[in-house]
Every structure is written in structure tokens, then in C-alpha cells.
């Protein structure tokens, strides 16, 4: 009996050595979780035996239990390196249409040849579908899909509105015969001008220029005319409520039609406050005619531009133009169009939202990295490559977003290192070695006793 007890002790010490050696071997393995050999004593008894005289039958390995404590975070320069702080696992599948999911804490991800996010084993990282505002449309693992980074460029957006905020100098001199002699190519026929880059439906850029002409103060005091051109070619400003014309704004001799170039009018009071505009904002404001004569590149010629001076009829407003006794100054000039954008970067938030950034200043939410947790992490089945699979004892996979509920947060450009404490493992190694030697000595003594008995005559 003692012979078998010593053998069980040797087996237990060997198992302890194996577990400790495996921990030490994986001290630099990203996302690795150390294991602990757990032992129980073996004790056999029957109804008719006396427990007071039972010595026990040795030791048995009950379980090699992994310890899912947090590993240290190591920061990197790769935005697709991901680390989880707190509870949870990444979910991956081996093939695009596979339903067999593996779970890992190792976040060494990269792009494959088809621009899918994969790990070193070519496992596809799963993510939840998202809405245009970045919220998840579903957090069910059954709807999660492999995350793919688009190769297409950011779509252009044609300009539809330009917001202008400026000061028109009250002390500017009136140009004789203005605005009837306005010529966009002659700077002596207008007081001031400013330009902004706008975009057509194809993402091509154009320069839109605004000209400001002070009206005759003896006839129309504190009033200015506004004219516009696109790529140096004058364009009419029309009143949509007036059937595409703007007779109240005044017409001047111009190159587009025999009746002249149509402009708009800005009216200020004696304090320099913006009072009204013609055409009025209620009639659609100041809008250009369509770009039929200004877009030779095949873009949408129905495009128009609304010039918004942010008129506030209730009183002075910081967003309105002014007419003060100071220099001409444009304080804001913004338009809503976008050029064609190329992919410039991928940002991943702590909640797992994957967002693509483009060179035209836009960004697009692509997916949200799926986080998965289990009622019993130690019940997960190890499958190698620092991955686990669901088992009966682990419970079903519970999916959710990073940073919500019991789920940890996701750190981009970071990796979770192994949670192995090398100092502790070396101490355990010495302890396991001594246990092995002690059980070997017990086995040797048992063998000597057996030899002594066999030699009795």
C-alpha cells in the first residue's frame, strides 16, 4: 500500500512540475493565464472499517485550474493591438461563415489580405453591427460578424450652404455709379471680397467668391449689395419664392444675361446691426441659381448654394454680420461640402467602437468589438493558441459591449501580458522538486523494506 501512496505522490509532484514549467514557458505569451495544480487526498473506507486506523491512500490531481487574474498592460504603436482591462474575452471564428466561436484575451490583431481583422491564427475578430450614430443595433453574439475595414474612399458631399460672418466697414467710400458698374474682374468696382472652397457632387473643388458693394448712402444708407461667382464665372442670386428671379435686389450690367447679374441686398441700422436681407430668409434666403453653366465635369448641375448670413430679427447676434467703423474682416466662413476622402486611420474606443477616419475630415463607425463573458471562466475548455471554447461547466457565452455591466474596457494600441509571476513560479518549482525528491525517497524506503521481507527464510 505504501508503495502505491509514494507513486501517487510522485505523480502529483510531476504534475505540479509540469504545470509550473508550463507557466514559466509562457511568461512572455500575450494573453496567457497561469494555471494551478489542485490536489486532493485519497481516502477509502467501508462501513465495517475503522476510520481511526485509516492512513489514507495517497494523493490525486483534482484539477489544473487556470487563474484569470488581470495581466499587465503593455502599450504598442499598433492601433489593432487590443487589451482588455477587466472581465471579458474577444470572440473569433476560424472561417467567415463559421459558427464555431473561440474566445481569447490575446489581442494581437492585424489585417489580412481582404482587410478583415484577424489574429496570428487567422481567426476573424467578431463585432456587433452599428448604426450611423455609433450605437449598436444588436448585442447578440448570433448577429456578430467578422470586422472588415473598408478599402473604398470616403464619399464626397456636394456643398449646399455657406455660413458667413464678417464686418463690412462703415467708413468705406461709395464707388461712383455702383452697383451698376460692378465687374467681378475689376477690383475698382467693388469694395471687398472673400472666397471659400466648395465641392460638387463628384467631390471636385471650386472657388466661390463673394463681392460686397456699398450702395449710394444718399439713396440707400447702410445698405450693401452682394454678388457671387464660381471659378471666376458670375452666378445669379435668386429668390426661390419669386420664381427664380430677384428683382427687388437690383440688377447690374453683367456677362450672364442682357438684364444683368442678379445680386442680393444686406441692410443695417445706424448702430451697425444687421436688420434684414433681400430676398428675405422667409422666402428661402439668398440662394444661387443652379450650376448648369458652372460644372463642365459631369457633376450634378442642379446644385445650388444657400448663402446664410444668420439673420436674427430679434436683435444683435454674435453670428450675424456687422457694419462697424473698422476694417473688412471675415470671422467665419464655413461650408458643408466634402471632397473625396481616403482612409487615414482606424480608431477603437474603450467601448470597442471601431471608427474609420478619412482625409476629408469625416469618420464612419464600422462595428463594435464583441465582448463575451462566462459564469465560470475556469470551466472553459483550452484549445491552444491562447484560446478557449465554451463547455458545459463554463456556462453559455454572455455577449455585451465593452465598459458596460460586468464587461471590461478595451485599450487600443496595447496588449495584455501573461499574468505569470516568475518569482512565485521559481519558488513553486523548488517546492515541487523537493516534493518529488521526498516521494522518491519514500519509494526507495518501501523498496528496501520489500527486499528485506523477501530475504526472510
Amino acid at each position: 500500500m505504501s508503495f502505491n501512496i509514494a507513486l501517487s505522490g510522485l505523480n502529483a509532484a510531476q504534475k505540479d512540475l509540469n504545470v509550473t514549467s508550463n507557466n514559466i514557458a509562457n511568461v512572455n505569451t500575450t494573453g496567457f493565464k497561469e494555471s494551478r495544480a489542485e490536489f486532493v487526498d485519497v481516502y477509502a473506507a467501508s462501513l465495517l472499517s475503522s476510520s481511526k486506523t485509516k492512513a489514507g491512500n495517497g494523493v490525486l490531481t483534482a484539477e489544473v485550474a487556470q487563474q484569470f487574474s488581470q495581466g499587465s498592460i503593455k502599450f504598442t504603436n499598433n492601433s489593432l493591438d487590443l487589451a482588455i482591462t477587466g472581465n471579458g474575452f474577444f470572440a473569433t471564428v476560424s472561417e467567415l461563415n463559421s459558427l464555431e466561436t473561440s474566445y481569447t484575451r490575446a489581442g494581437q490583431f492585424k489585417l489580412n489580405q481582404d482587410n478583415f481583422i484577424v489574429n496570428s491564427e487567422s481567426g476573424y475578430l467578431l463585432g456587433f453591427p452599428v448604426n450611423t450614430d455609433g450605437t449598436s443595433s444588436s448585442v447578440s453574439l448570433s448577429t456578430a460578424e467578422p470586422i472588415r475595414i473598408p478599402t473604398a474612399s470616403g464619399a464626397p458631399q456636394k456643398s449646399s450652404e455657406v455660413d458667413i460672418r464678417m464686418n463690412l466697414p462703415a467708413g468705406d467710400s461709395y464707388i461712383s455709379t455702383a452697383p451698376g458698374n460692378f465687374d467681378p474682374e475689376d477690383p475698382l468696382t467693388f469694395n471687398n471680397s472673400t472666397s471659400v472652397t466648395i465641392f460638387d457632387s463628384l467631390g471636385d473643388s471650386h472657388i466661390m467668391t463673394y463681392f460686397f458693394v456699398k450702395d449710394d448712402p444718399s439713396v440707400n444708407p447702410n445698405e450693401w449689395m452682394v454678388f457671387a461667382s464660381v471659378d471666376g464665372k458670375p452666378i445669379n442670386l435668386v429668390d426661390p419664392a419669386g420664381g427664380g428671379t430677384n428683382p427687388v435686389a437690383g440688377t447690374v450690367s453683367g456677362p450672364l444675361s442682357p438684364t444683368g447679374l442678379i445680386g442680393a441686398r444686406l441692410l443695417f441700422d445706424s448702430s451697425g446691426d444687421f436688420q434684414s436681407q433681400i430676398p428675405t430668409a422667409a422666402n428661402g434666403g439668398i440662394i444661387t441659381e443652379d450650376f448648369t453653366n458652372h460644372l463642365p465635369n459631369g457633376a450634378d448641375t442642379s446644385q445650388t448654394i444657400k448663402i446664410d448670413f444668420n439673420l436674427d430679427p430679434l436683435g444683435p447676434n454674435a453670428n450675424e454680420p456687422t457694419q462697424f467703423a473698422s476694417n473688412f474682416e471675415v470671422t467665419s466662413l464655413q461650408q458643408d461640402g466634402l471632397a473625396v476622402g481616403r482612409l487615414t486611420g482606424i480608431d477603437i474606443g474603450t467601448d470597442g467602437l471601431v471608427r474609420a477616419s478619412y482625409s476629408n475630415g469625416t469618420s464612419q463607425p464600422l462595428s463594435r468589438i464583441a465582448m463575451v463573458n462566462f459564469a465560470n471562466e475556469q470551466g472553459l475548455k483550452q484549445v491552444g493558441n491562447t484560446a478557449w471554447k465554451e463547455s458545459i461547466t463554463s456556462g453559455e457565452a454572455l455577449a455585451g459591449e465593452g465598459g458596460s455591466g460586468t464587461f471590461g474596457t478595451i485599450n487600443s494600441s496595447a496588449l495584455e501580458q501573461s499574468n505569470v509571476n516568475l518569482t512565485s513560479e521559481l519558488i513553486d518549482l523548488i517546492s515541487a522538486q523537493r516534493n518529488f525528491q521526498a516521494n522518491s525517497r519514500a519509494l526507495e524506503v518501501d523498496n528496501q523494506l520489500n527486499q528485506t521481507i523477501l530475504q526472510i527464510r
Side-chain angles (χ1 to χ4, degrees), residues 125-180:
L125 179 63
L126 296 182
F128 301 126
V130 294
N131 302 313
T132 54
D133 61 355
T135 58
S136 300
S137 58
S138 170
V139 290
S140 171
L141 197 58
S142 62
T143 61
E145 297 178 343
I147 302 174
R148 188 177 191 181
I149 306 303
T151 56
S153 301
Q157 176 179 310
K158 65 180 181 181
S159 302
S160 61
E161 182 174 337
V162 175
D163 286 357
I164 303 179
R165 189 190 317 161
M166 76 286 179
N167 178 71
L168 295 172
D172 263 17
S173 301
Y174 166 65
I175 300 173
S176 179
T177 69

Side-chain angles (χ1 to χ4, degrees), residues 397-431:
L398 306 173
E401 300 178 358
S404 66
T406 60
F407 293 98
T409 57
I410 295 176
N411 299 298
S412 178
S413 300
L415 292 172
E416 182 187 8
Q417 296 180 295
S418 168
N419 66 349
V420 173
N421 185 322
L422 189 56
T423 302
S424 298
E425 295 301 324
L426 291 175
I427 294 173
D428 291 344
L429 194 63
I430 296 172
S431 177

Side-chain angles (χ1 to χ4, degrees), residues 2 23 29 42 54 57-58 94 110 144 161 186 227 234 236-237 246 262 273-274 346 354 357 364 372 389 405 422 433:
S2 60
N23 289 341
T29 302
V42 180
K54 293 293 291 186
N57 293 340
S94 58
K110 57 187 72 66
E161 182 174 337
D186 184 359
F227 300 99
N236 285 322
L237 306 180
N246 190 4
I262 300 176
D273 179 43
F274 185 36
I346 298 297
V354 182
S357 301
Q364 176 187 358
V372 180
K389 287 190 177 181
L422 189 56
Q433 179 187 17

Side-chain angles (χ1 to χ4, degrees), residues 272-388:
D273 179 43
F274 185 36
Q275 293 293 296
S276 61
Q277 65 186 44
I278 302 175
T280 64
N283 289 340
I286 301 173
I287 300 178
T288 67
E289 64 184 358
D290 63 46
F291 280 22
T292 300
N293 299 313
H294 295 78
L295 297 179
N297 63 346
D300 181 12
T301 56
S302 67
Q303 179 179 356
T304 60
I305 299 291
K306 177 183 178 181
I307 309 170
D308 192 353
F309 289 102
N310 301 296
L311 174 63
D312 186 352
L314 300 179
N317 188 301
N319 294 323
E320 293 179 322
T322 58
Q323 183 196 239
F324 295 145
S326 61
N327 296 330
F328 176 73
E329 180 183 11
V330 178
T331 56
S332 178
L333 186 57
Q334 300 178 341
Q335 58 86 39
D336 59 357
L338 296 172
V340 177
R342 58 180 177 81
L343 184 67
T344 57
I346 298 297
D347 298 317
I348 301 176
T350 56
D351 61 352
L353 180 63
V354 182
R355 185 182 294 271
S357 301
Y358 297 94
S359 58
N360 60 6
T362 62
S363 63
Q364 176 187 358
L366 303 177
S367 181
R368 175 170 275 105
I369 297 172
M371 291 282 285
V372 180
N373 210 347
F374 297 88
N376 176 24
E377 294 175 334
Q378 291 187 331
L380 291 169
K381 180 175 65 175
Q382 297 185 58
V383 292
N385 300 316
T386 326
W388 297 266

Side-chain angles (χ1 to χ4, degrees), residues 144-266:
E145 297 178 343
I147 302 174
R148 188 177 191 181
I149 306 303
T151 56
S153 301
Q157 176 179 310
K158 65 180 181 181
S159 302
S160 61
E161 182 174 337
V162 175
D163 286 357
I164 303 179
R165 189 190 317 161
M166 76 286 179
N167 178 71
L168 295 172
D172 263 17
S173 301
Y174 166 65
I175 300 173
S176 179
T177 69
N181 65 341
F182 170 72
D183 182 353
E185 297 182 359
D186 184 359
L188 298 179
T189 62
F190 54 89
N191 296 77
N192 309 102
S193 66
T194 187
S195 299
V196 63
T197 300
I198 60 172
F199 300 93
D200 60 30
S201 61
L202 299 178
D204 200 3
S205 63
H206 305 271
I207 301 298
M208 189 170 188
T209 306
Y210 304 98
F211 304 91
F212 302 94
V213 182
K214 187 173 184 179
D215 209 345
D216 188 350
S218 62
V219 179
N220 298 307
N222 300 318
E223 295 188 14
W224 292 73
M225 291 293 296
V226 181
F227 300 99
S229 69
V230 175
D231 292 338
K233 192 174 184 179
I235 189 169
N236 285 322
L237 306 180
V238 298
D239 179 2
T245 62
N246 190 4
V248 290
T251 59
V252 298
S253 176
L256 290 186
S257 67
T259 58
L261 180 65
I262 300 176
R265 189 180 295 274
L266 306 180

